[in-house]
Amino acid sequence: MYYYRYESAEVSCCYKYLMFSYNIIFWLAGVAFIAVGFWAWSEKGVLLDLTQVTRLHGFDPVWLVLVVGGVTFILGFAGCVGALRENICLLKFFSGVIGFIFILELTAAVLAVVFQSQVREWINDFFLANVKGYRDDIDLQNLIDSLQRMNHCCGAQEPNDWDLNVYFSCNGTHRSREKCGVPFSCCITDPADSVLNTQCGYDVRNRPKREWTDHIYTKGCIAALEDWLPGNLYTVAIVFIVISLLQMVGIYLARTLISDIEKVNFSY
């Protein structure tokens, strides 16, 4: 039986250190995301009382930061160590997970296009669920406020969606000062105002509906998102293509390095 022997087989230093450089950036980014996530939790006192995590009624954005940071950290670590130590297992793990994430992204994009009505309904329900928990978490509150201010919208479908929040609801016997109001992020602001009026939404829904447009945005955020997407389709496509190319580069470098290492091992 004959075996083919590669002449002068060696691992390419170029690919090896390109792979290391590629991953050190993601590893550092992962560390930064994790640090920010734990800092946010420490500011909210979650680290002193972990039961707060289970008591939150809405979506805590810190979870997303920590998950993204954790995945990025693990992949960056596997890629860096795999490249430096020429470890095939770590490199295969890296390329396999990156490939899996790419397939998930592609699948999600296709499903979002095919099942638009179901996705719209899911986003609507998700937004309403977080309207209920608006005052439960400062990060969730800031996220909703940013979304409403940037898109000039209020609620998922309309301002009356804020009836779902116990503080803003017009129903019931609660004595909240915000009763029958909306968050300040729903208010139409005057660019000349230098001081933010956080009470501008108080009692606004006690007024006749025809007067609402003078004080607050009446378009729902779901409709605002639907209006935004067609005008920014190229931007979304470019972002998706750039992310996909970065993933493909990572997979290519890992597979090339694996091939070089296997050639070296076989030659000996």
Side-chain angles (χ1 to χ4, degrees), residues 5 30 49 64 115 120 125 129 151-152 204 207-208 216 249 256:
R5 183 183 179 88
D49 180 13
L64 180 61
F115 300 103
R120 186 181 188 279
D125 292 342
N151 293 284
H152 297 169
V204 71
R207 301 177 183 180
I216 62 172
V249 167
T256 303

Side-chain angles (χ1 to χ4, degrees), residues 48 54-55 76 91 94 100 115 134 137-138 194 201-202 223-224 239:
L48 299 176
T54 59
R55 293 202 300 266
L91 292 172
F94 172 83
F100 178 69
F115 300 103
Y134 176 78
D137 182 81
I138 187 63
S194 57
Y202 285 10
V239 170

Side-chain angles (χ1 to χ4, degrees), residues 102-154:
F102 175 74
I103 292 171
L104 282 182
E105 291 169 353
L106 200 58
T107 303
V110 172
L111 291 177
V113 172
V114 175
F115 300 103
Q116 291 184 34
S117 59
Q118 289 90 334
V119 171
R120 186 181 188 279
E121 184 178 347
W122 178 82
I123 294 174
N124 183 72
D125 292 342
F126 180 75
F127 195 97
L128 291 177
N130 286 290
V131 163
K132 293 179 184 179
Y134 176 78
R135 289 296 189 203
D136 294 345
D137 182 81
I138 187 63
D139 292 321
L140 174 62
Q141 184 175 312
N142 290 335
L143 182 64
I144 293 176
D145 284 335
S146 297
L147 182 65
Q148 292 190 145
R149 276 186 296 180
M150 289 173 60
N151 293 284
H152 297 169
C153 59
C154 189

Side-chain angles (χ1 to χ4, degrees), residues 18-32:
L18 272 176
M19 182 69 180
F20 174 79
S21 302
Y22 174 91
N23 280 280
I24 195 69
I25 296 171
F26 288 97
W27 183 77
L28 291 173
V31 171

Side-chain angles (χ1 to χ4, degrees), residues 4-80:
Y4 180 78
R5 183 183 179 88
Y6 292 93
E7 296 296 331
S8 302
E10 61 178 15
V11 176
S12 170
C13 288
C14 178
Y15 285 121
K16 181 176 180 177
Y17 290 108
L18 272 176
M19 182 69 180
F20 174 79
S21 302
Y22 174 91
N23 280 280
I24 195 69
I25 296 171
F26 288 97
W27 183 77
L28 291 173
V31 171
F33 271 100
I34 292 171
V36 168
F38 280 110
W39 171 80
W41 266 0
S42 69
E43 288 293 302
K44 293 189 290 188
V46 173
L47 296 181
L48 299 176
D49 180 13
L50 293 177
T51 59
Q52 291 186 38
V53 174
T54 59
R55 293 202 300 266
L56 181 64
H57 297 108
F59 168 70
D60 186 352
V62 176
W63 274 115
L64 180 61
V65 173
L66 288 174
V67 169
V68 171
V71 172
T72 306
F73 175 86
I74 292 170
L75 286 175
F77 179 80
C80 285

Side-chain angles (χ1 to χ4, degrees), residues 189-255:
T189 57
D190 186 345
D193 291 341
S194 57
V195 179
L196 180 65
N197 180 10
T198 57
Q199 299 180 1
C200 58
Y202 285 10
D203 303 315
V204 71
R205 288 189 296 122
N206 275 329
R207 301 177 183 180
K209 276 195 172 183
R210 63 177 179 274
E211 296 182 12
W212 288 8
T213 53
D214 296 330
H215 304 281
I216 62 172
Y217 302 113
T218 54
K219 179 188 286 187
C221 290
I222 304 300
L225 178 62
E226 290 175 338
D227 291 342
W228 176 87
L229 195 55
N232 294 273
L233 204 56
Y234 286 116
T235 303
V236 174
I238 289 171
V239 170
F240 181 78
I241 290 170
V242 169
I243 293 174
S244 299
L245 286 175
L246 286 173
Q247 291 171 331
M248 292 301 99
V249 167
I251 293 173
Y252 170 76
L253 290 174
R255 299 309 304 181

